Amino acid sequence: MSVLQHLPPGRFIEAAGRGSRQTKHTVQVSFIVMLLMATMALFSANVNADVPNAVPPEGEYSGIHVEQPIEFPHDIHADVNEINCMYCHTYARRSKVAGIPPTSKCMGCHSIIATDKPRIQKLTEYWENKESPKWKKVHDVPDFVHFTHEKHIKRFVIDNEDLQVENVSEVCAFCHGEVKKMTVADKVKPLTMGFCQRCHQANDGPSDCWHCHK
Amino acid sequence: MSLSNLIDDWSRYRKGREEGGFHDYEHMWGMSIDLNKCIGCNACSVACYAENNLAVVGKEKFEKGQGMHWLRLERYWDEPDLGEERTTEFQQHGASFLPMMCQQCNAATCEPVCPVAATYHTPDGLNAQVYNRCIGSRYCSNNCPYRLRYFNFWSYYEDSWPAPLQMQLNPDISVRDKGVMEKCTFCVQRIRTVKDTARMEDRKVRDGEVQTACSQTCPTGAIEFGDMLGMYDPETGVAETKVTRMWRKHQVEFGKTKQNKQTPDMRGYRVFEFLNTDPCVMYLDRVREV
């Protein structure tokens, strides 16, 4: 049984391609998953009902609002139109950083859709001037921290048989909050060491200093 | 990493050695340096500066012993200075060189003296320094028999990398501020990257996949770096890495304060191994025609 069987056919082909080499590992993974589920049962108070096999980190943070060059509405994209987070943040499953999509990706839709809206006209202006909007970073961990999106997506999405890839935003929400209810993304989680560590301890993540500190 | 973890790690190694084995290391990074091949060009040291964001402190501070070279080249004269009239500053013959970096001792003397557990042993067999934890007591430096720990007496980032030189800094390793001890890490950021890639592709780390900056740069290939626990390579069918092979060939073993060699011609040795620090770096002695 492949870990990626639950993926709908035709979606996330790259991710599925990577998964086909993992079949040998699957038995071990599902064993660990079962083991984790047993552990979860013990600490069921912490279990997030949406994402099985995962204890999300806890904590809230009222971060400062970062002004962006264009007030990007995450809610219209991710909530109303149900676009997957990883459609635009395509590097999240491939590299350390989730990445901000290039303007060409925006224009792929917005050369046709909603061209009469002022924000889209501003975007089109950037596109015609061959410039990128200078997006500001909201979720910034300190320079001495090594964090990879890739491994976290693998652990909680690709290797997680009980999570549909459509619901990836539930995993993203662990650290980024409910971005699909926001317009411009705000930092609503503390992203401190204790915040990371609580989740690492609950989900059997590495606790070695040099794993994350550089 | 709590203090009790640190003491556990420390005692686990000691106990493992007494029982004739190692504890459950995932990897155990080691090095073999052939001094016959070393030409003393200092390229390894320069590479280390570039890779690890080392500050260039300038001549005055260097003379006070505040240099930040994680890898230094030690120069020895193995032919006597005959005292004849010389036109050059140094004698013409008999120089030999020894690249000296952190020996990543298994029984490191720096670890137990740290009051805040900023230096500890990782599951990779590395002697780690956590810059965030370090309070700059400098106990570790004073307890290191090799003098391989370097202290940031000043903030160097403004003088050392004036704009636009800050663009050359390696983003995978932090720039240390003053009051923090630092040392060779065996290029842990490269190890981390390779391990992450291997994990994502569900395979083991291959031999030769991790290269430290010094071994990559060495023009004569004097520095070999690899996993001491051996990695099975399906392509060659060899279960030992280049480094393990070198250690075995020269009959140097872990956990010994004196090596038993079949012939005295075996060139391998570890620096100060009689101090029971059990370093992970083996040197191959330089052979000279008499």
Side-chain angles (χ1 to χ4, degrees), chain A residues 141-156:
Chain A
V141 289
D143 284 348
F144 49 78
V145 175
H146 166 83
F147 175 85
T148 53
H149 276 89
E150 193 184 15
K151 278 169 99 175
H152 288 85
I153 294 283
K154 181 179 156 77
R155 164 67 180 81
F156 289 116

Side-chain angles (χ1 to χ4, degrees), chain A residues 18 21-22 25 93 96 143-144 146 148 150-151 154 158-159 206-214, chain B residues 1 120 122-123 126-132 171-174 185 188 192 195-196 199-202:
Chain A
R18 177 178 280 161
R21 275 175 280 149
Q22 293 170 353
H25 194 59
R93 63 185 183 279
K96 271 162 78 169
D143 284 348
F144 49 78
H146 166 83
T148 53
E150 193 184 15
K151 278 169 99 175
K154 181 179 156 77
I158 295 169
D159 285 356
S207 62
D208 180 37
C209 306
W210 255 10
H211 225 96
C212 307
H213 284 292
K214 57 187 191 186
Chain B
M1 173 65 57
Y120 74 104
T122 69
L126 291 178
N127 176 237
Q129 176 73 23
V130 185
Y131 307 123
N132 312 58
D172 291 337
I173 184 163
S174 50
T185 60
V188 70
R192 197 184 283 129
K195 274 170 71 185
D196 278 1
R199 185 85 167 270
M200 289 305 292
E201 292 171 5
D202 272 321

Side-chain angles (χ1 to χ4, degrees), chain A residues 120-137:
Chain A
I120 305 303
Q121 280 161 359
K122 202 173 171 188
L123 176 77
T124 318
E125 203 177 296
Y126 274 111
W127 173 247
E128 279 165 0
N129 293 340
K130 297 190 170 143
E131 283 174 7
S132 296
K134 289 195 171 52
W135 304 108
K136 309 242 172 55
K137 201 165 183 180

Side-chain angles (χ1 to χ4, degrees), chain A residues 16-27:
Chain A
R18 177 178 280 161
S20 61
R21 275 175 280 149
Q22 293 170 353
T23 39
K24 199 177 157 193
H25 194 59
T26 317
V27 181

Side-chain angles (χ1 to χ4, degrees), chain B residues 156-283:
Chain B
Y156 298 108
Y157 45 80
E158 280 172 0
D159 296 338
S160 202
W161 301 284
L165 286 185
Q166 87 279 2
M167 305 291 271
Q168 74 174 13
L169 291 171
N170 186 353
D172 291 337
I173 184 163
S174 50
V175 177
R176 284 79 53 187
D177 206 342
K178 68 179 165 191
V180 169
M181 190 60 75
E182 59 183 62
K183 65 164 198 65
C184 165
T185 60
F186 268 3
C187 287
V188 70
Q189 66 277 15
R190 294 183 174 210
I191 296 175
R192 197 184 283 129
T193 310
V194 167
K195 274 170 71 185
D196 278 1
T197 318
R199 185 85 167 270
M200 289 305 292
E201 292 171 5
D202 272 321
R203 58 175 173 81
K204 285 188 172 177
V205 179
R206 295 191 198 103
D207 185 18
E209 205 175 359
V210 192
Q211 263 193 323
T212 56
C214 50
S215 76
Q216 187 185 9
T217 314
C218 184
T220 55
I223 304 176
E224 291 271 9
F225 178 78
D227 193 344
M228 290 304 297
L229 295 187
M231 287 176 281
Y232 181 72
D233 187 351
E235 281 170 24
T236 53
V238 180
E240 64 178 359
T241 59
K242 275 182 194 164
V243 183
T244 359
R245 194 152 57 239
M246 292 297 267
W247 281 58
R248 188 175 50 79
K249 248 172 85 179
H250 291 275
Q251 294 178 341
V252 176
E253 283 172 21
F254 276 124
K256 286 188 175 174
T257 49
K258 195 175 186 305
Q259 305 292 341
N260 304 318
K261 303 215 175 168
Q262 286 168 352
T263 57
D265 297 340
M266 297 291 180
R267 298 191 287 130
Y269 71 95
R270 297 185 297 170
V271 180
F272 292 163
E273 84 188 331
F274 54 89
L275 293 178
N276 198 12
T277 49
D278 210 3
C280 278
V281 181
M282 178 188 74
Y283 290 91

